[in-house]
Amino acid sequence: MSDNKSKRILVIGGVAAGTSAASKARRIDPDSDIKIIQEENVVSYGACGIPYVIEGLISNFEKLIERNEQIFKHKYDIDVITNTRAFKIDRSRKKVYTTNLQSLEETVFDYDSLIIATGARASIPNIKGANQRGIFLLRNYNDGMKINDSDIIEKAQSCIIAGAGLVGLEMVEAFKKRRRGLAGRNGSMDVTVVEMADHILPTLLDKTMAKIVQRELEANGVKTILGERVEEIVGKDRQVTGIKTDTKREIESDFIVLGTGVRPNSEIAKDAGIELGTLMVIVE
Ligand SMILES: Cc1cc2nc3c(=O)[nH]c(=O)nc-3n(C[C@H](O)[C@H](O)[C@H](O)COP(=O)(O)OP(=O)(O)OC[C@H]3O[C@@H](n4cnc5c(N)ncnc54)[C@H](O)[C@@H]3O)c2cc1C
């Protein structure tokens, strides 16, 4: 960085970590040039609220956005560049190469300091039949919108949630309480959660504590299947009709949500030669 220009701070990733880092950088350094490169079309949203929009407790997804691009610009003088993926970091020349996901235009950004806050993506297990209509993931804003706007879910009366981790159980609750669509009008959706571990919330609770939560779920009409892995998603005309587990149990269902954990989006850092920490794959 030369003395006659402000320091350029570039942040990759614009949800919780990226926007917090950018805001903190602005507080520490009022004169720096701060930019956030964000792959999604939204920035600074609370993914934690997505299940509540699906349930109907929060009326729309915009309410999850804490600060939009305009607020970042006018209040903090931070530029947020959305719909843009950083695909390469050149550390020796201090450059980040990006692609606009709409125009496919490539832009190179120079930096003096780089913050990588690329978060995680949904981990998709190797399940037969996973390429059909009626299979949903939930990791980001647009995943939530796809679920909420889906005509399959609107017409559904039953669902399977694969994975009884935190996200999986939040979806269990959301669909059980959802009052939209066919199931909503008829009372409630028939919700089954399938977990390969022998108890729910396996990374969080021991078996005794998990049993208490399981009893609560079952008292609210949720079916729990433990110690079985979803092996195949079955369908008709490429639309989900149910699953088979590794014990050959078959369960009918109108759609399935894979709440099967997350993986770090760390490839861009690894490719740039940055030493990574221990890979912790949280299987939920
Ligand atoms: C349904 C749901 C409910 C949750 N509930 C809770 C809760 O109750 N409490 C709690 O503490 N946590 C909860 N979480 C977890 C919480 O949302 C995450 O911990 C948090 O979002 C992590 O923020 P992050 O900024 O580190 O990463 P992320 O949220 O993953 O954001 C990273 C961003 O970087 C972008 N990105 C990645 N690679 C690139 C690239 N190369 N170029 C440009 N952009 C890139 C991604 O598209 C993404 O927008 C929940 C998550 C979900 C999905």
Side-chain angles (χ1 to χ4, degrees):
M1 189 187 80
S2 67
D3 288 339
N4 60 356
K5 66 176 182 190
S6 56
K7 181 177 181 179
R8 294 159 303 184
I9 300 173
L10 193 61
V11 181
I12 310 177
V15 185
T19 55
S20 308
S23 306
K24 177 77 177 174
R26 170 57 71 231
R27 285 196 294 277
I28 294 172
D29 187 349
D31 300 323
S32 55
D33 167 32
I34 305 176
K35 290 186 172 56
I36 299 175
I37 309 290
Q38 166 65 337
E39 186 171 2
E40 294 186 71
N41 57 351
V42 284
V43 67
S44 186
Y45 63 86
C48 318
I50 295 173
Y52 301 103
V53 182
I54 292 167
E55 178 187 326
L57 208 61
I58 298 176
S59 59
N60 61 65
F61 279 92
E62 288 77 49
K63 292 213 163 134
L64 304 182
I65 299 173
E66 202 167 321
R67 290 167 292 179
N68 61 22
E69 294 96 307
Q70 289 75 33
I71 294 176
F72 275 105
K73 183 68 197 164
H74 295 125
K75 202 163 167 197
Y76 306 101
D77 192 22
I78 294 172
D79 293 311
V80 179
I81 300 148
T82 52
N83 288 309
T84 300
R85 179 186 294 145
F87 66 89
K88 186 181 156 195
I89 301 166
D90 182 342
R91 289 166 70 202
S92 58
R93 295 164 65 209
K94 294 202 162 192
K95 288 180 188 296
V96 170
Y97 295 78
T98 70
T99 308
N100 181 298
L101 300 176
Q102 290 172 331
S103 65
L104 301 182
E105 192 186 327
E106 294 194 358
T107 307
V108 183
F109 293 91
D110 296 292
Y111 64 83
D112 298 303
S113 292
L114 178 66
I115 298 167
I116 304 173
T118 45
R121 60 180 178 276
S123 164
I124 306 170
N126 195 10
I127 299 176
K128 237 165 100 183
N131 185 22
Q132 305 185 66
R133 290 187 73 227
I135 302 169
F136 298 90
L137 299 168
L138 182 56
R139 173 60 207 159
N140 60 31
Y141 194 88
N142 284 297
D143 292 338
M145 298 244 293
K146 270 188 214 154
I147 290 177
N148 216 37
D149 296 345
S150 162
D151 58 333
I152 293 177
I153 294 178
E154 203 63 13
K155 291 179 196 144
Q157 289 186 293
S158 62
C159 71
I160 288 168
I161 312 294
L166 285 170
V167 169
L169 290 193
E170 285 198 312
M171 294 319 295
V172 165
E173 185 183 1
F175 286 119
K176 202 68 205 159
K177 290 183 173 168
R178 186 172 156 104
R179 289 290 172 263
R180 262 182 61 182
L182 202 54
R185 282 195 291 280
N186 292 348
S188 163
M189 202 176 291
D190 182 6
V191 179
T192 304
V193 58
V194 181
E195 167 58 55
M196 67 180 182
D198 64 358
H199 62 282
I200 62 169
L201 295 170
T203 58
L204 201 70
L205 300 182
D206 65 18
K207 229 172 153 173
T208 315
M209 290 292 284
K211 198 79 200 161
I212 299 169
V213 182
Q214 184 186 339
R215 275 200 292 270
E216 187 64 23
L217 288 174
E218 289 167 354
N220 283 282
V222 176
K223 291 181 198 127
T224 54
I225 295 176
L226 303 175
E228 290 184 42
R229 184 193 296 265
V230 176
E231 202 173 62
E232 184 178 348
I233 300 173
V234 286
K236 189 168 178 255
D237 302 328
R238 304 207 63 73
Q239 181 160 328
V240 171
T241 56
I243 61 150
K244 280 185 194 161
T245 71
D246 54 357
T247 65
K248 306 299 167 218
R249 186 203 296 261
E250 291 189 30
I251 311 165
E252 286 186 5
S253 168
D254 296 323
F255 69 95
I256 175 163
V257 180
L258 299 176
T260 42
V262 294
R263 284 182 178 276
N265 275 329
S266 50
E267 290 81 2
I268 191 169
K270 188 173 175 221
D271 292 347
I274 295 167
E275 193 184 336
L276 303 182
T278 313
L279 175 66
M280 261 190 30
V281 178
I282 300 169
V283 180
E284 293 186 330

